[in-house]
Amino acid sequence: MKVMTTAKNSLHLLAPLSGQTLALDKVPDPVFAERLTGDGLAIQPVSDTVLAPCDGEITLLFDTKHAFAITTPAGVQVLVHVGLDTIIMNGQGITALHHTGDQVKAGEPILKLDLDLLQKKHINLISPVLIVNYDRVSQLEPLCEGREVAAGTDPVLAYAV
């Protein structure tokens, strides 16, 4: 695991899902691979509960429940996009456990997935975890590309504000 040693205010995001991590440029969707919506990494999930990767306020939760954003107290906006094409499910197979405006702690459950249904519908579940406003961070470093991570336990991104 790489450790950021140059930043005084080094912070990290926890894995919101258990599974295998991969670099964003390996994600088969140009919006994510080319970092058009933010920078970070992605997870091929094996777990059915999506956790908050950090403390903060849920500032965005799509009606389709396919993605949510948490804004940290320092103003960093973290987006968790569950699957690449889950939006076509229009919320089916995903249960929101929180609402926009809720304060959450890292590791707290945000969404529950019906993995059987999503897999039956051939939904690609690769899930990007991004810092959207990465102009607000001075450093951003994926910590564990290509490794198995445990949701709510393993840090996956280090950043400094």
Side-chain angles (χ1 to χ4, degrees):
M1 179 184 298
K2 296 179 188 175
V3 177
M4 291 177 51
T5 56
T6 57
K8 289 186 286 187
N9 299 331
S10 183
L11 302 164
H12 64 271
L13 301 179
L14 296 179
L17 291 150
S18 294
Q20 180 85 22
T21 61
L22 64 151
L24 274 185
D25 58 5
K26 304 274 194 255
V27 173
D29 182 323
V31 171
F32 298 112
E34 296 172 18
R35 293 169 170 75
L36 300 177
T37 54
D39 200 359
L41 54 61
I43 300 173
Q44 177 68 58
V46 295
S47 58
D48 66 354
T49 304
V50 186
L51 308 179
C54 57
D55 295 351
E57 178 185 347
I58 298 176
T59 50
L60 177 67
L61 179 58
F62 284 88
D63 291 339
T64 52
K65 300 175 267 191
H66 73 283
F68 65 90
I70 295 175
T71 301
T72 71
V76 175
Q77 190 173 46
V78 178
L79 178 74
V80 178
H81 194 284
V82 179
L84 299 180
D85 47 5
T86 45
I87 191 167
I88 67 171
M89 296 294 292
N90 202 29
Q92 186 182 13
I94 305 172
T95 303
L97 305 174
H98 279 281
H99 304 287
T100 301
D102 288 356
Q103 293 290 325
V104 295
K105 296 285 186 191
E108 195 170 327
I110 306 296
L111 301 173
K112 186 76 167 170
L113 308 177
D114 182 342
L115 290 180
D116 290 338
L117 175 64
L118 295 171
Q119 289 166 349
K120 184 187 295 183
K121 297 285 187 174
H122 305 288
I123 300 298
N124 185 330
L125 289 174
I126 291 174
S127 299
V129 180
L130 309 168
I131 292 182
V132 177
N133 56 347
Y134 55 92
D135 55 321
R136 290 193 63 118
V137 299
S138 59
Q139 289 184 295
L140 176 62
E141 183 178 358
L143 296 176
C144 54
E145 292 173 359
R147 298 211 351 237
E148 291 290 325
V149 292
T153 303
D154 293 328
V156 293
L157 287 173
Y159 67 98
V161 290

